[in-house]
Amino acid sequence: MKRPTDRRTVLMTVGAAAVAAAAGSVAAQSTDIRGAVTFESGAVIPKGHLEIYLEDPAVQDSARRRATETRIKSDGGSKTIAFSLTPPASLSASRTLRIVARLERADGWLVARGSTQLKAGEPVNVTLNTVMY
């Protein structure tokens, strides 16, 4: 003889499924830092290599100051370039972290540079400013 399923068992099963689904969606969220780079005055970003990195100016050792970086090639026709950085697991939640973007020509000359403070949960927008020599 089978016992009928009682209300308590059904509610516990549904509750466990809801908790598992919520935990799965939180674990699936990316910890990547996503953002966009633009050029001053909304102009087209010049042709070159865009180097974007996470920097902590509070770190005294210049070799450890850069945490992670990515390189993107600019074709000289875009007003905005999207990027994504994966922060290292050892990165602490420093208040001085910033995203730095450098645009260099093919011959290595710096064309433009920009930076912005990293704020948790907010989109990252870096504006490149022309470098004067």
Side-chain angles (χ1 to χ4, degrees):
M1 177 187 236
K2 283 176 115 183
R3 289 182 45 201
T5 306
D6 62 347
R7 181 176 177 196
R8 181 175 158 199
T9 305
V10 171
L11 289 176
M12 286 177 51
T13 304
V14 170
V19 169
S25 67
V26 169
Q29 288 180 353
S30 174
T31 60
D32 286 358
I33 300 166
R34 298 184 188 282
V37 176
T38 57
F39 202 70
E40 61 186 346
S41 303
V44 173
I45 299 172
K47 188 175 185 177
H49 296 281
L50 190 60
E51 181 180 5
I52 305 166
Y53 55 92
L54 187 60
E55 179 182 67
D56 190 352
V59 174
Q60 298 300 318
D61 181 11
S62 61
R64 292 184 25 203
R65 186 172 289 172
R66 284 190 189 186
T68 186
E69 68 180 75
T70 188
R71 290 184 64 92
I72 302 170
K73 189 171 185 174
S74 172
D75 61 1
S78 301
K79 287 189 174 190
T80 303
I81 296 177
F83 70 89
S84 176
L85 289 172
T86 304
S90 63
L91 186 64
S92 62
S94 173
R95 299 171 119 202
T96 59
L97 284 176
R98 64 182 176 182
I99 301 288
V100 179
R102 296 172 44 96
L103 180 64
E104 297 177 357
R105 294 189 320 203
D107 61 4
W109 277 83
L110 183 64
V111 176
R113 184 182 186 283
S115 67
T116 188
Q117 285 297 128
L118 181 64
K119 296 176 185 161
E122 292 185 22
V124 177
N125 293 308
V126 181
T127 301
L128 294 172
N129 297 299
T130 304
V131 174
M132 302 296 245
Y133 286 102

